[in-house]
Amino acid sequence: MRAIWTITMRELQSFFDSLMAYIMLIAFLGFSGFFTWLFGADVFFVKQASLQSFFSIAYWTLFFFIPALTMRQFAEENRSGTLELLLTKPVSDWQVVLGKFLSTLVLILIALALTLPYYITVASIGPIDHGAVWSGYLGLILMSAAYISIGIFTSSISNNQIVSYLLALFIGIFFQIIFSLLSSNFGGFIGEVLSFLSVSTHFDSISRGVVDTKDLLFFLSLIFLGLILTEANLAKKRL
Amino acid sequence: MDIVVENLTKKYGAQRAVDNISFRVKTGEILGFLGPNGAGKTTTMKAIATYLTPNEGDIHVGNFSIYENPDEIKKNIGYLPENNPLYNDMPVIDYLKFVAALQGIEKGRIREKILHMINTCGLEGEKHKKIGELSKGYRQRVGLAQALIHDPQVLILDEPTSGLDPNQIVEIRELIKKIGREKTVILSSHILAEVEATCDRILIINKGKIVADGTSRDLRKQSEGHEILRVKIEEGDKNEIFKALQGLNTIGMVDFMKKDETAFEIQTKPGLSSRREVFNLCVGKGWILTEMTPIETKLEDIFRELTMN
């Protein structure tokens, strides 16, 4: 446990030292704030005390930002050889993978925590469905965790950060939108499967305030799959 | 802690990087690992450090096997990989803190350990700098510090002095010698003088196989077939001297030294010595012998002989 936390803290520190964290926080708050309050289908346009507009913009900004945070994590260690040093310390592959996963998740949690003033503001303007807000946040956290584990996996594949960024987007876009677009074209069983595989289906249902075990199961298995593939990738390098 | 390598084989595809090698390093011994590039030094060291899984064979460090207790081995080993990879964006002191925590050193003792390492490795002036800003010599010291911070019983150093200037090489060498007294050390290098200066025992490997094993003196003896002398004889015609020398029955071959008119290189026949004969010859002819130096077989020559096919 201590090893995982040690790695998480080092990664977090490196996010903040490299300005990556600040850039991400500012860009995320800037984008989501702009579209929540000032432009397009913002809170005032919708004329409802709800954070729906924030959740739908955060859904896309996180999709693009998360791979930018995770792309470095294994690619850079692979390229510079520090991975060898890390894995010859008394830590297991799992601890390394989890440590890196948690560090990005903590950064996303910080970013989301900084949007809580939006919630407070909206709540002070009108009657707000508190349950829907909290489950919306839960949806964002689960979705982020899923994309983090995909991003970490693609980072472990390549030595090149750009390659791992693009690969993460490529894999991610299927879950983000393509499966759901396809599912409306296919009917029947295939349509159902595709719709189940789509992150947007589960995110929408959670952010409406309905937290179903099916949705939780979907996100948790996606997270687990990404992490287990990353671990397998690390083990493969040592053969 | 002893290191025991048994029938270690590591293949990359069809190529055997390390081919069925076995050796043992005893506690307190500094073993020099020599070999040309691509001989399998690094692969062997990575396997001992539990980074690579061998295809065949087993490695024990103390009582622990790399298959059954890799974590115990990792705790007892200090490893400096080739090219000394470090996190360039971290300050030295933070990095050492990170490594100390990973090694499971208790929180209360981390500070003391770090200060000790900074002193031992001479990093006092650089401890707040980022690792990326350090010169190569200081980077190497950070690499050593991270390998030593948990006071390991076994040290695996892959080319610890590559790319350093001569002063730094001497310093690092002294450091290794100092630390190596109570520990088991394996260090690899392709600089022969370095291995000779630091190590108690030398292991030469070539194409994945061990081709020589012993102290530098043992290795010399092995390849010392014949005595080689450098002599300088004055007050005589050089062709006449040459002929007379060649006439001696203990001498196998005589050569002019290129630069010096009066100097010759003499190779004695195997198992014999020709020093007395040369002296007597000069006395008899009235020539003046101004120099006679036995030339030692250099480790370089042994190395070349063993690794060139």
Side-chain angles (χ1 to χ4, degrees):
Chain A
M1 201 54 223
R2 185 179 167 209
I4 298 177
W5 191 241
T6 306
I7 293 170
T8 303
M9 288 316 285
R10 193 207 82 81
E11 293 288 324
L12 265 181
Q13 174 120 41
S14 134
F15 277 136
F16 282 97
D17 281 350
S18 65
L19 298 182
M20 196 64 209
Y22 297 104
I23 295 169
M24 188 268 166
L25 289 176
I26 291 169
F28 174 70
L29 292 177
F31 270 112
S32 60
F34 182 68
F35 287 103
T36 306
W37 301 105
L38 299 173
F39 189 80
D42 59 33
V43 172
F44 305 111
F45 180 84
V46 181
K47 293 198 170 134
Q48 271 180 350
S50 117
L51 280 180
Q52 254 334 301
S53 50
F54 164 68
F55 291 138
S56 49
I57 185 67
Y59 177 71
W60 278 99
T61 38
L62 288 174
F63 170 70
F64 284 104
F65 284 161
I66 285 169
L69 294 172
T70 54
M71 66 180 185
R72 223 185 90 265
Q73 297 202 293
F74 280 102
E76 178 65 19
E77 297 232 24
N78 260 332
R79 198 189 54 74
S80 67
T82 45
L83 191 63
E84 181 178 347
L85 210 49
L86 191 56
L87 293 179
T88 49
K89 302 280 177 245
V91 291
S92 66
D93 294 4
W94 265 113
Q95 289 171 322
V96 174
V97 173
L98 282 178
K100 288 185 182 264
F101 171 78
L102 283 180
S103 69
T104 319
L105 191 59
V106 169
L107 186 58
I108 296 294
L109 290 179
I110 294 173
L112 291 178
L114 289 174
T115 64
L116 286 178
Y118 299 179
Y119 170 40
I120 297 164
T121 314
V122 174
S124 68
I125 322 179
I128 191 167
D129 180 352
H130 295 284
V133 172
W134 289 116
S135 65
Y137 273 111
L138 178 68
L140 283 182
I141 292 168
L142 286 171
M143 177 206 106
S144 305
Y147 286 133
I148 291 169
S149 85
I150 291 175
I152 283 183
F153 165 62
T154 62
S155 178
S156 75
I157 289 179
S158 164
N159 294 351
N160 184 317
Q161 299 187 21
I162 305 297
V163 170
S164 52
Y165 178 77
L166 293 176
L167 204 55
L169 280 192
F170 180 74
I171 295 174
I173 198 85
F174 281 91
F175 292 104
Q176 182 81 352
I177 194 159
I178 291 183
F179 285 146
S180 88
L181 289 180
L182 285 178
S183 76
S184 54
N185 282 354
F186 288 98
F189 180 67
I190 301 178
E192 295 249 316
V193 170
L194 287 171
S195 156
F196 181 76
L197 285 176
S198 161
V199 166
S200 62
T201 315
H202 302 282
F203 178 73
D204 286 345
S205 88
I206 289 184
S207 70
R208 269 199 306 270
V210 194
V211 183
D212 193 349
T213 25
K214 209 171 62 178
D215 304 322
L216 289 178
L217 207 65
F218 168 77
F219 283 116
L220 292 179
S221 38
L222 204 54
I223 294 165
F224 189 64
L225 188 70
L227 295 181
I228 210 164
L229 286 175
T230 313
E231 201 271 341
N233 234 337
L234 291 189
K236 203 185 81 195
K237 279 185 214 305
R238 324 171 71 158
L239 286 180
Chain B
M1 277 186 165
D2 288 11
I3 303 171
V4 183
V5 176
E6 284 167 328
N7 307 324
L8 177 74
T9 298
K10 176 75 197 166
K11 295 178 214 163
Y12 293 118
Q15 193 202 357
R16 281 165 179 265
V18 175
D19 193 357
N20 197 19
I21 69 171
S22 306
F23 60 89
R24 186 186 190 107
V25 195
K26 291 193 207 80
T27 311
E29 199 172 31
I30 304 184
L31 177 82
F33 220 21
L34 274 178
N37 294 326
K41 294 177 300 226
T42 298
T43 307
T44 310
M45 298 182 112
K46 280 184 178 173
I48 299 173
T50 72
Y51 183 61
L52 287 178
T53 319
N55 294 92
E56 284 161 41
D58 200 351
I59 299 170
H60 283 87
V61 177
N63 295 320
F64 307 116
S65 152
I66 51 163
Y67 297 112
E68 281 138 40
N69 320 82
D71 272 0
E72 288 304 313
I73 294 189
K74 287 169 173 181
K75 273 182 206 156
N76 285 299
I77 249 181
Y79 178 47
L80 175 68
E82 199 179 15
N83 305 326
N84 189 18
L86 297 167
Y87 297 113
N88 286 334
D89 54 355
M90 276 182 110
V92 173
I93 210 157
D94 288 3
Y95 179 64
L96 293 179
K97 238 179 244 168
F98 169 65
V99 174
L102 281 187
Q103 288 291 3
I105 297 172
E106 306 133 57
K107 272 220 168 88
R109 296 190 57 215
I110 287 183
R111 218 185 103 82
E112 158 207 344
K113 288 266 178 193
I114 290 176
L115 287 179
H116 177 61
M117 271 302 112
I118 283 174
N119 273 331
T120 319
C121 300
L123 285 163
E124 188 52 44
E126 325 286 322
K127 63 184 176 194
H128 293 298
K129 282 192 190 161
K130 284 192 175 180
I131 294 174
E133 294 165 3
L134 298 181
S135 71
K136 203 154 181 185
Y138 280 111
R139 270 184 72 93
Q140 206 73 15
R141 289 165 193 232
V142 177
L144 275 174
Q146 66 80 24
L148 290 169
I149 195 153
H150 55 300
D151 200 18
Q153 296 301 304
V154 173
L155 267 179
I156 311 280
L157 309 171
D158 202 349
E159 307 209 349
T161 58
S162 76
L164 301 185
D165 74 36
N167 294 335
Q168 292 167 332
I169 290 182
V170 171
E171 278 172 38
I172 298 275
R173 223 185 256 168
E174 289 305 314
L175 190 62
I176 293 171
K177 268 191 163 171
K178 196 171 87 188
I179 299 158
R181 271 178 219 136
E182 315 97 58
K183 302 187 192 305
T184 317
V185 183
I186 300 187
L187 80 89
S188 82
S189 176
H190 44 235
I191 306 164
L192 299 146
E194 167 171 305
V195 171
E196 211 176 357
T198 354
C199 300
D200 305 319
R201 196 173 126 212
I202 299 174
L203 200 71
I204 302 183
I205 74 171
N206 187 35
K207 296 188 179 155
K209 293 200 156 116
I210 295 178
V211 289
D213 182 357
T215 62
S216 64
R217 190 181 288 173
D218 289 345
L219 296 186
R220 279 225 179 74
K221 238 182 225 158
Q222 256 179 42
S223 74
E224 235 171 50
H226 26 241
E227 182 189 66
I228 297 170
L229 295 174
R230 202 181 105 100
V231 296
K232 225 171 173 180
I233 297 169
E234 284 167 18
E235 309 276 316
D237 178 62
K238 65 174 182 182
N239 288 319
E240 201 182 321
I241 298 172
F242 182 79
K243 267 187 197 146
L245 282 174
Q246 223 161 21
L248 290 174
N249 52 15
T250 56
I251 286 178
M253 210 174 70
V254 183
D255 237 342
F256 289 107
M257 299 290 272
K258 273 171 200 122
K259 281 180 198 146
D260 197 333
E261 292 274 293
T262 56
F264 302 88
E265 199 179 273
I266 301 175
Q267 228 183 63
T268 312
K269 282 180 183 157
L272 295 171
S273 172
S274 51
R275 299 183 208 188
R276 285 164 172 275
E277 278 74 10
V278 172
F279 177 75
N280 288 335
L281 176 77
C282 293
V283 172
K285 299 264 183 181
W287 296 327
I288 292 163
L289 183 64
T290 55
E291 184 188 335
M292 185 189 297
T293 323
I295 298 175
E296 272 197 324
T297 337
K298 277 188 251 137
L299 208 50
E300 267 86 355
D301 300 326
I302 303 171
F303 182 76
R304 278 178 63 86
E305 207 175 286
L306 289 168
T307 56
M308 300 269 288
N309 299 322

